[in-house]
Amino acid sequence: MEEPYEPNWLFQGQWIDIDGRDRTADETCGGTFAYVDAYAGALAVEFGVTEHLGPYRWYSPEQYAADLPCGDDITACFVPDEQCIHSPVLPHTHEVVHMAEFATVNCPGVLSEGLAVFYSSAFGRDAKTSSFDRLVAIMETPTEPHEYGMLGRFMAYLVEHFGVEAVLDVCRITGRYPDGPALSAALESVLGMTTKELLANFEPELGPSCNHSRDYQSRVFACGAAQAAPDLGLVSVDGEHAIDVTFTLDCANDIMVGPLGNKMWLTRRFNIDADDTYFASMWGEDGVEIPELELTLAKCEPCGKSRTLLGPFIGPEELTAGRYSLQVHAPADFRGSVNVTIEH
């Protein structure tokens, strides 16, 4: 008789619990577990979820290869019957999106993967304008998603114009396995347009200015309704309010997330009160060299202006009123304090 599985709880949060399968807590940065939980909470607010989402089983590469919890050649998965994520990577926010979605409604594949790409924090799912014809074909077989980048970009369009709740309402009508005509009928019922009409409206919005995932993604952690990222406050045009903050970048620090791809990062949010020219800077304190550090400022709006600046630097930035996401990326082995300022 097989022994019952005994989880190795490394973290138990409000939304997600981390089960280390041949893993220990010191194999990730000090803020990663709390970030995964807070990210799940941000998604829960977007999707209307109120209950704890479930476990995230985090495997060592060797254990993942031995267990193959997702089958051959699948790098990570969310298993609805178990309400569990299986992944050798932490954080894997694409699968966290699936977990939050399934706690709400069961979407057909094209909408499910579109949501997961759009609401994920990971880069690399770019949309190619040349893939539009394939998107048209995929929407006729909506349970068989491909071209994930284009699906994410199409979801960005749907959420911008109709809102995520409307997308979820479509899923409530279709269930998991509609055919093309059934999906089109549900889209028309909720959004007022058929699949063909939506795609005709969407195609002119494609272009190099918003086809990269870094441009079209939701940045839900900083930009979502939950306002999950820590707040750096307001930068005002009268000069009375500014950002002047020092971060101690060290993977062991509880503000740092990762590593992924040998990078660690932190995310914050701030507000600009008026359109104008502001000065931004990033430099290492106490003579620390920071040539490999990146500061990304991104407007919280669909395809909002995004700028990635390499440190050290100081210079003018044209910023418009509204909320922004701020991220600092550093090599996983970086240790040192960095000062960031944004002021009029």
Side-chain angles (χ1 to χ4, degrees):
M1 182 176 178
E2 186 176 344
E3 292 293 323
Y5 178 77
E6 290 293 336
N8 172 33
W9 297 123
L10 302 179
F11 173 87
Q12 292 183 280
Q14 179 181 354
W15 299 101
I16 279 186
D17 302 330
I18 309 293
D19 172 16
R21 186 85 166 97
D22 192 36
R23 288 285 197 178
T24 57
D26 60 3
E27 293 180 79
T28 190
C29 293
T32 302
F33 294 159
Y35 171 80
V36 172
D37 192 54
Y39 202 101
L43 293 168
V45 170
E46 296 292 311
F47 294 173
V49 180
T50 58
E51 302 296 326
H52 187 274
L53 293 174
Y56 186 127
R57 194 161 295 158
W58 176 40
Y59 296 74
S60 68
E62 297 78 13
Q63 193 66 54
Y64 190 83
D67 291 358
L68 292 177
C70 303
D72 292 336
D73 301 322
I74 300 177
T75 56
C77 63
F78 167 69
V79 180
D81 291 345
E82 302 174 13
Q83 195 65 21
C84 180
I85 292 170
H86 299 273
S87 175
V89 174
L90 186 75
H92 199 310
T93 52
H94 183 104
E95 301 305 333
V96 178
V97 180
H98 281 315
M99 178 180 268
E101 173 219 324
F102 273 86
T104 311
V105 68
N106 207 343
C107 288
V110 292
L111 299 183
S112 178
E113 293 303 338
L115 286 166
V117 174
F118 174 59
Y119 280 108
S120 169
S121 63
F123 293 157
R125 299 284 188 168
D126 294 344
K128 298 178 180 178
T129 304
S130 59
S131 299
F132 178 77
D133 289 343
R134 293 202 64 191
L135 174 65
V136 174
I138 290 165
M139 294 298 288
E140 291 300 315
T141 56
T143 62
E144 301 174 16
H146 302 285
E147 300 292 339
Y148 280 21
M150 182 59 79
L151 289 173
R153 179 67 184 88
F154 184 51
M155 184 56 63
Y157 160 80
L158 292 177
V159 172
E160 175 189 358
H161 290 280
F162 304 101
V164 67
E165 186 59 33
V167 174
L168 298 177
D169 283 343
V170 172
C171 299
R172 291 183 180 101
I173 293 172
T174 65
R176 181 68 173 171
Y177 301 107
D179 58 17
L183 176 59
S184 184
L187 290 167
E188 185 175 23
S189 173
V190 176
L191 308 183
M193 285 188 277
T194 64
T195 299
K196 183 177 180 180
E197 291 167 335
L198 286 166
L199 292 172
N201 281 9
F202 168 59
E203 186 177 14
E205 296 196 10
L206 290 172
S209 63
C210 196
N211 278 5
H212 295 294
S213 64
R214 65 174 179 268
D215 297 322
Y216 71 69
Q217 68 178 196
S218 71
R219 294 187 173 83
V220 65
F221 188 67
C223 300
Q227 304 188 70
D231 187 16
L232 295 178
L234 175 71
V235 180
S236 62
V237 73
D238 61 13
E240 292 187 7
H241 302 278
I243 292 171
D244 185 349
V245 60
T246 298
F247 299 114
T248 300
L249 307 184
D250 183 328
C251 190
N253 193 329
D254 64 8
I255 66 171
M256 302 307 299
V257 181
L260 283 181
N262 200 36
K263 289 286 187 76
M264 60 180 178
W265 70 95
L266 60 83
T267 305
R268 299 292 185 267
R269 60 185 169 92
F270 68 95
N271 284 281
I272 294 289
D273 76 343
D275 301 0
D276 212 328
T277 301
Y278 296 81
F279 278 86
S281 68
M282 180 172 68
W283 65 85
E285 292 207 325
D286 301 323
V288 173
E289 296 291 330
I290 60 168
E292 296 181 278
L293 266 59
E294 300 174 350
L295 175 69
T296 298
L297 307 176
K299 184 76 179 292
C300 288
E301 61 185 25
C303 294
K305 179 183 177 182
S306 175
R307 285 270 287 149
T308 295
L309 307 161
L310 302 179
F313 74 88
I314 181 168
E317 289 295 320
E318 296 292 331
L319 302 176
T320 56
R323 196 199 306 184
Y324 285 76
S325 166
L326 179 152
Q327 286 194 320
V328 178
H329 282 82
D333 60 357
F334 181 86
R335 305 290 182 272
S337 294
V338 177
N339 182 263
V340 175
T341 66
I342 304 173
E343 59 190 348
H344 188 258

